[in-house]
Amino acid sequence: MAALLKRLLQRGRPLAASGRPVGRREASLGTDPGVAVRVRFAPSPTGFLHLGGLRTALYNYIFAKKYQGSFILRLEDTDQTRLVPGAAENIEDMLEWAGEPGRERIFLQGRNRKQEKETVDLLMEPTVGNEEFLEKWLHLCCLGWQMPPEKMLKLSKTQLHDCIIVRMRLAAPQQSLSPTMDSIYLSINSTHTALLPIRYDNRCRNLNQEQVAQKLAKVPKPSIRFRLEEAAPAFQDLVYGWNRHDVASVEGDPVIMKSDGFPTYHLACVVDDHHMGISHVLRGSEWLVSTAKHLLLYQALGWQPPHFAHLPLLLNRDGSKLSKRQGDVFLEHFAADGFLPDSLVDIITNCGSGFAGNQMGRTLPELITQFDLTQITCHSALLDLEKLPEFNRLHLQRLVSSESQRRLLVGKLQALVEEAFGSQLQNRDVLNPVYMERILLLRQGHICRLQDLVSPVYSYLWTRPAVGRAQLDAISEKVDVIAKRVLGLLERSGVTLTQDALSGELKKLSEGLEGTKHSNVMKLLRVALSGQQQGPPIAEMMVSLGPKEVRERIQEALSS
């Protein structure tokens, strides 16, 4: 036994000081002196990155940066049947987009899971002194791990666990299920039929050697199950406090190595976390119950477990589950719709806990400074995506106010205008960076997304509207007088075309027109310049377009 544990421990790095009792947790953050903080985000590439995954990655990344640690992206490909093409690349790309690049990246897709296989192989190897250990912790299930039958026959009957006839087991051992009923089994008695969660009945724990030999002759590729102990260790979660789940009383022995040679998540996360030196595991609270199984695996392997912090769920505003089936929860959806990564990071942390205050508009560096793991509550975080445009408006305004960021926005806006209007552009001077920068500065704080500037409301900025004289005459009988005074204002020397100055001059102009309301003058100018009934203030529109364009549009409308 001692020799086996020594060989196992030599293959990975212990995570904390030796001699520490398993399951013991301090009431603090669990950041042990002299031990580097190493966290991981370990999604499965069975789908693209969504808001729930981003939140888990975000808390891990912030925690690592808070304590000058390492954030690792690790893709767990344990379920080979559900891998989605392009999902691995999408997860990494979206994390980069969100500003959370992994300092270390571990890609497991298509890789032979050597460490897990070596770990199980070592556990199964009948060496002197480990027979009691094997009998206590492991048994086999003939669904498919590639081990030579002659090697398995050396094991005692309590070490082998044959499940050749059951993919799903009934509560009544003599009955069988259709493969389509993977998510339920039937509990049948004389009075009722009920749908209950799957529970493997451990029927193959005590096969004798003859039974084992017969089954291995039929199916020589067993999977491996882990024998659950009744006394699961208690542990102190850094969010939920002390926890203990007697999983053996509600679950059957879990498979840890499948027939395809790949480990299940339960084995993979334990082995990978150990060999990668993970110090803290921050993950969703849905894994809280499974932690008991993981701790039993750590105990069986003689490894020091990391500290655990389970994050409360991220839910919809109405308390319903945030589901991938909603479609609009994937990050690529928000990126394509023009939402900034900072706004998503901001709203996700704003609806949760663990940060000082609850203000809007925080950036990732500010969140790292304010983060306090001990302040995370057990309450679910309710996400109201209807507020996302307002979050995005604040962060877009911040970018516009930065000269370097504004230049980047100009380039993106140029591409958006080209895409939206293309051949409709009568004058390509509208793509001039100076003109676009002026638009951004004038509209900052008023738009929520950069895409808003290419919506129909702002089409007048890029193309001239088709406005006829009749439209202007319908608004006022003094079209010519108003036009003449406005054109004269534009040609007057010494007049600075700032928005405030123009606003004041236009008000004076209206006051000088007897029997004409200021609102009618503004309405006439709005139609002449944009062809629309609503929009930004007239003075701002004139400053945006510039005196030359304003003059030409008014003259064109009068003559058409």
Side-chain angles (χ1 to χ4, degrees), residues 143-177:
L143 287 176
W145 181 57
Q146 296 181 3
M147 175 187 285
E150 61 273 14
K151 184 172 183 179
M152 289 184 285
L153 289 175
K154 295 179 182 178
L155 303 177
S156 68
K157 65 178 182 178
T158 55
Q159 298 160 23
L160 293 172
H161 204 309
D162 182 359
C163 301
I164 185 171
I165 64 171
V166 283
R167 182 179 180 191
M168 298 296 139
R169 284 291 308 156
L170 284 178
Q174 72 275 12
Q175 306 212 19
S176 61
L177 272 182

Side-chain angles (χ1 to χ4, degrees), residues 1 8 71 86 104-105 146 178 225 233 301 399 453 487 494-495 514:
M1 178 68 174
L8 287 171
F71 170 75
E104 301 177 32
R105 298 176 179 85
Q146 296 181 3
S178 165
R225 289 183 181 272
L301 292 164
L399 294 181
L453 289 176
L487 292 174
V495 176
E514 186 177 350

Side-chain angles (χ1 to χ4, degrees), residues 408-421:
L408 297 176
L409 292 176
V410 165
K412 294 178 181 179
L413 183 56
Q414 287 173 325
L416 288 172
V417 172
E418 285 271 25
E419 180 183 358
F421 297 98

